[in-house]
Structure formats: structure tokens, C-alpha cells
Amino acid sequence: MAMWQKEIETMPREELKKLQSERLVWQVNRMYRNVELFRRRMDEKGLKPDDIKSVDDLSKLPFSYKQDLRDYYPYGLFAVPTDDIVRVHASSGTTGKKIVVGYTKNDIKNWDTCIARMLTAIGLTNKDFIQVAFGYGLFTGGFGLHNGAETIGATVIPISSGNTHNQIQTMVDFKSTVLCCTPSYAMYLGEAVEEAGMTDNLCLKAGIFGAEPWTEDMRRAIEEKLRIKAYDIYGLSEIMGPGVACECSEQAGMHVWEDMFIPEIIDPETEEVLPYGEQGELVFTTITKEGFPLIRYRTRDMCSLIAEPCKCGRTHIRMKKPCGRSDDMLIIRGVNVFPSQIEEVLLQTGGGITPNYQIIVDRVNNTDTFDINVEMSESLFADDVRSVENLEKTITAKLREVLGIGAKIHLVNPKSIERSEGKAKRVIDKRNIK
Ligand code: DLL
């Protein structure tokens, strides 16, 4: 099986732990010297860099939070002078205020390595034509995939996101073998290809999708529509961008590149570290990042880690698909609801509904209202009213079973829910605006 850096990717765990320990000690020392906020948090805990001797001491260290990036906007958390920063990226997040991250030359090189490892792990080579339909610009998606693809010598088609017609024509004309974008946009492209009757003209064999939560059912739906294998890639701007973790050809969880990032799962309430296998909030420590390192960063992503060895031979731990973010979780009438649970029910229902949906929550007379608009396929739309009503009833019953509360399902006309070329907007929570 091809590997980009076999020695590191298959490093025995004991050795990996030693490497992590050395790098963690290095990182803590330089951050203590160079990042005022980190030094203050260490001092508040009565900790000195010398107290950290190995990864076993990780849990002594203070956490960091998204709010820190906002408070120290734009460059206040960088650990090198800006002279050494060769690139910045930014993300607007849900609350609107941007966060800024910076990279040194080495950071960019390491990022390229992470992506190169993934592309090789799923069998791509310099023979592939990789259409990067993630947005280029301050978002990390476009440039992240782009540089990694060049690193393995593949031909990059840097089309960026949007302009669906042009995406399809380019895919056909340039004989793209790989498509990279968000899963919701891949689904949309799949529909558009089908409508244009171009499915047979595609040379695609694989897709690399991420930047938002997606279910296994969504994976199958995309695979069917585009006749490809769909691979998951995870990352976040604060830690690097895409490629912090990614699937190998086994597709049994995403390998976290542990020579660069140390993952932990914690209970988001008690902040206690949880054993492997348990679900909780993912926390990352960057141990090679120079420009903008973070210690114990609370990602808000909910998932679990798989410690068992992977069949592919890589020793780096795997993370399961994140099921959502703790801050995306809706509390409706006191019940916790993740949008991904709804997506799963919709895709399993089939029968002429599409995975295009929008959740609308409001509060009327002190009671939460919970409505879900779900798009019908053209064929269902053309069907009689009774079958539409029956389907609405079926979905309502299934959702009640899964979530424990009732939602009003509205099957809406094909193409009536706005499509996104990047991350899909699944939730409209009107309760916050009031
Ligand atoms: O979305 C980086 C990225 C680009 C990842 C392209 C993959 C592909 P941000 O905009 O900072 O960065 O958003 C990061 O997106 O904390 C997760 O909540 C979510 N996310 C990213 N990848 C996945 C995934 C990019 N594969 C936030 N599955 C993260 C589920 C994901 N959620």
C-alpha cells in the first residue's frame, strides 16, 4: 500500500509517544516565552514549562478557546514575529467576528505533508487531475488541498467554489478524476450532472469532502449520484485547515496525524479527559506549528477516538466522523437535537425526498416550534397528494422515534431550498434573534 512517509505513518506507538513528548516540551517552552496569554494562564495555574516533561502531563495544561482568537484579533496569539509569517487565513465562524491564523514557511510545508499523506493513502498519484472546488481565499479549503495535491505531483484544477455549470463542464473537459468540495455541494453537483445528462461523460473516481458534518447515508447518496468513492477529510482553521485528520482507503475513521497534533476527548461540562472510544468534545494540541500554535484547543466538535490499529498499517489514531458541534446542537423543548440525526432519518426514508432540508426553530407562547422543510424530488412532486402526505407522516413518526420529540415536516417543491456552494446552512433558529 502506497504511503507518503511510511516511517512516520507506521511509527510504533511507543516511538510516536516519545516524539510527541519531545515536541510538546519544545512547544510549551516557546509558547511560554512568546505568547502572553499562554504564559498568564500557566502562571494562574502555578505551572512552569519545566512541569511538562511528556504527553502524560498534557492534562495539566490550560485549555484554549475560540474566544481567545477573537480577544487577541488579529495577531495577538502568534508565537513568531510577523516577519516570519508567510500566509494568513481567516474564518468568520457563526458569530460573524473573524478569527485570523498565521503560518510560517515550515507550517505550510507541514500542511502540504498532511494533505499529501491523505491523497496517497486513498491511492492518488501524479496521474490524477484534482478539481479543487473548495473556496480559495481566506477560507483554508482551497489552498489547503491545492498545495498538497501539487506536492504529490497531481494536476490541480483550481476552480474554487461556485458556478455549477462551469464546474461540470470543466470536470468533463479537463477529465477530472477527483473532486474536492463540501458534501452538500457535492450532492448538489451530483443532481446537476444528472439533470444535464452528463453522468456518463465524467472521469471522476473519487471525491474528497469535508468542512461540515455529513452522515454515512449522505456518503452513499453522493457515491451513487457521482459514481465515485467519497472520502472524508476533517480540519479547522485554528489548528491548520483541512488535513488535520483524514480517511485512508479502509474508510474506517480518519487518521489524526499525531506527529503534529495531539487529540484528546473531554467531557465538555466537567472538562475531564475521557477514555478512547467515548464520545465527547475533541481537543487538539499542535506540536509542530510555529506561527500560530495552540495548546488544548476546545474545538466544540463532538466525536470519539478509535485506538485499535487500522488495517492499513498506519499507527496514527483515528477519529470517528464528528456528529456535530456542541454549539450546533439545538435544544428544542429541552431535548438535544443534532442536525445530523435529521439528515440520517431523511436519507434512510428515501422514497422521493432529497437530503436538502432546513430546520426552523421558533418560540411561540413560550413553547418551541420545530419545523423541517424537506425538498421533494421531481418525481415525487409529480405524484399525487396522498403519497406526499403519507411520506410526511412516515418521516414525522421516524423522527419522533429517533429524537423523542415531534417535528412538523413540510415537503417543499424541488429546488426551493437555497443551495450553498460552501457549507450548507441547515438551521434557522429564530429564538436567538428575539
Ligand atoms: O472547514 C477546514 C476544512 C476545509 C476541512 C476543507 C475540510 C475540508 P473551518 O471553516 O475553520 O475549517 O471550520 C472548521 O468545520 O470545527 C468542524 O465543525 C467542521 N468540519 C470540518 N471538517 C469536517 C468533517 C474548515 N469532515 C469546522 N466532518 C470544524 C464534520 C467538519 N465536520
Side-chain angles (χ1 to χ4, degrees), residues 91 134 139-141 209-214 232-238 241-242 254 299 301 322 325 423:
S91 145
F134 279 119
F139 178 55
T140 52
F209 307 124
E212 62 186 4
W214 53 311
D232 200 355
I233 184 166
Y234 168 88
L236 60 167
S237 325
E238 298 91 306
M254 294 182 271
T299 65
D301 288 322
R325 297 175 53 82
K423 303 186 191 227

Side-chain angles (χ1 to χ4, degrees), residues 60-301:
K60 293 180 187 162
L61 290 165
F63 288 106
S64 45
Y65 309 87
K66 190 154 207 162
Q67 189 58 39
D68 299 340
L69 280 82
R70 299 202 178 102
D71 294 345
Y72 285 77
Y73 176 88
Y75 304 141
L77 296 177
F78 287 6
V80 297
T82 43
D83 295 12
D84 296 333
I85 296 289
V86 297
R87 196 190 308 163
V88 291
H89 279 286
S91 145
S92 51
T94 37
T95 62
K97 186 163 179 196
K98 268 200 186 67
I99 56 151
V100 175
V101 297
Y103 306 76
T104 63
K105 271 193 185 147
N106 263 334
D107 294 335
I108 298 280
K109 218 168 94 198
N110 285 333
W111 189 4
D112 298 349
T113 301
C114 290
I115 300 286
R117 285 183 195 166
M118 170 184 196
L119 302 180
T120 320
I122 62 169
L124 305 186
T125 66
N126 59 357
K127 300 212 171 349
D128 282 292
F129 290 77
I130 304 186
Q131 181 156 333
V132 181
F134 279 119
Y136 279 66
L138 288 177
F139 178 55
T140 52
F143 283 103
L145 264 300
H146 181 110
N147 290 353
E150 277 189 2
T151 303
I152 68 157
T155 308
V156 183
I157 304 165
I159 190 161
S160 195
S161 57
N163 197 342
T164 303
H165 174 74
N166 188 32
Q167 292 280 355
I168 298 172
Q169 201 59 54
T170 305
M171 246 188 279
V172 172
D173 293 348
F174 294 8
K175 304 190 178 359
S176 307
T177 58
V178 183
L179 171 69
C180 310
C181 60
T182 56
S184 48
Y185 192 49
M187 195 66 206
Y188 177 30
L189 276 172
E191 283 171 5
V193 168
E194 222 170 52
E195 248 166 52
M198 306 269 260
T199 318
D200 286 337
N201 305 357
L202 297 181
C203 300
L204 281 185
K205 61 177 186 190
I208 298 175
F209 307 124
E212 62 186 4
W214 53 311
T215 57
E216 285 302 327
D217 295 300
M218 181 79 152
R219 188 204 301 262
R220 276 187 288 276
I222 296 172
E223 289 188 334
E224 226 168 81
K225 277 240 168 335
L226 286 168
R227 299 190 195 149
I228 54 170
K229 255 197 148 349
Y231 295 92
D232 200 355
I233 184 166
Y234 168 88
L236 60 167
S237 325
E238 298 91 306
I239 297 301
M240 181 179 77
V244 172
C246 42
E247 284 185 334
C248 62
S249 52
E250 296 296 327
Q251 299 196 288
M254 294 182 271
H255 289 281
V256 177
W257 301 122
E258 284 183 285
D259 54 322
M260 303 195 206
F261 315 104
I262 309 179
E264 297 169 275
I265 296 285
I266 64 160
D267 178 324
E269 301 297 324
T270 64
E271 300 195 328
E272 193 192 324
V273 179
L274 299 176
Y276 292 150
E278 274 189 39
Q279 167 138 329
E281 182 182 334
L282 189 57
V283 169
F284 278 114
T285 297
T286 63
I287 49 175
T288 48
K289 274 281 255 348
E290 296 175 340
F292 176 62
L294 281 171
I295 300 279
R296 305 197 81 201
Y297 181 68
R298 304 259 321 243
T299 65
R300 300 284 168 194
D301 288 322

Side-chain angles (χ1 to χ4, degrees), residues 351-371:
I353 56 163
T354 71
N356 296 310
Y357 65 96
Q358 204 154 42
I359 304 164
I360 301 143
V361 192
D362 204 347
R363 187 159 286 168
V364 179
N365 299 331
N366 290 324
T367 307
D368 292 336
T369 58
F370 180 18
D371 291 77

Side-chain angles (χ1 to χ4, degrees), residues 266-394:
I266 64 160
D267 178 324
E269 301 297 324
T270 64
E271 300 195 328
E272 193 192 324
V273 179
L274 299 176
Y276 292 150
E278 274 189 39
Q279 167 138 329
E281 182 182 334
L282 189 57
V283 169
F284 278 114
T285 297
T286 63
I287 49 175
T288 48
K289 274 281 255 348
E290 296 175 340
F292 176 62
L294 281 171
I295 300 279
R296 305 197 81 201
Y297 181 68
R298 304 259 321 243
T299 65
R300 300 284 168 194
D301 288 322
M302 302 298 290
C303 80
S304 60
L305 295 173
I306 310 166
E308 291 78 39
C310 181
K311 284 195 194 123
C312 73
R314 287 175 186 80
T315 49
H316 297 235
I317 206 166
R318 286 166 290 160
M319 59 180 265
K320 282 209 172 143
K321 253 182 182 313
C323 66
R325 297 175 53 82
S326 59
D327 44 10
D328 269 358
M329 188 184 76
L330 291 157
I331 304 181
I332 304 173
R333 292 176 225 138
V335 176
N336 297 351
V337 174
F338 282 106
S340 59
Q341 292 174 297
I342 294 164
E343 181 177 307
E344 212 166 292
V345 168
L346 294 180
L347 280 156
Q348 280 168 10
T349 306
I353 56 163
T354 71
N356 296 310
Y357 65 96
Q358 204 154 42
I359 304 164
I360 301 143
V361 192
D362 204 347
R363 187 159 286 168
V364 179
N365 299 331
N366 290 324
T367 307
D368 292 336
T369 58
F370 180 18
D371 291 77
I372 307 174
N373 291 335
V374 184
E375 256 185 40
M376 290 183 267
S377 65
E378 296 285 353
S379 59
L380 178 63
F381 184 54
D383 221 332
D384 68 295
V385 180
R386 192 140 359 112
S387 48
V388 173
E389 281 172 1
N390 281 343
L391 203 54
E392 278 177 345
K393 277 193 198 135
T394 312

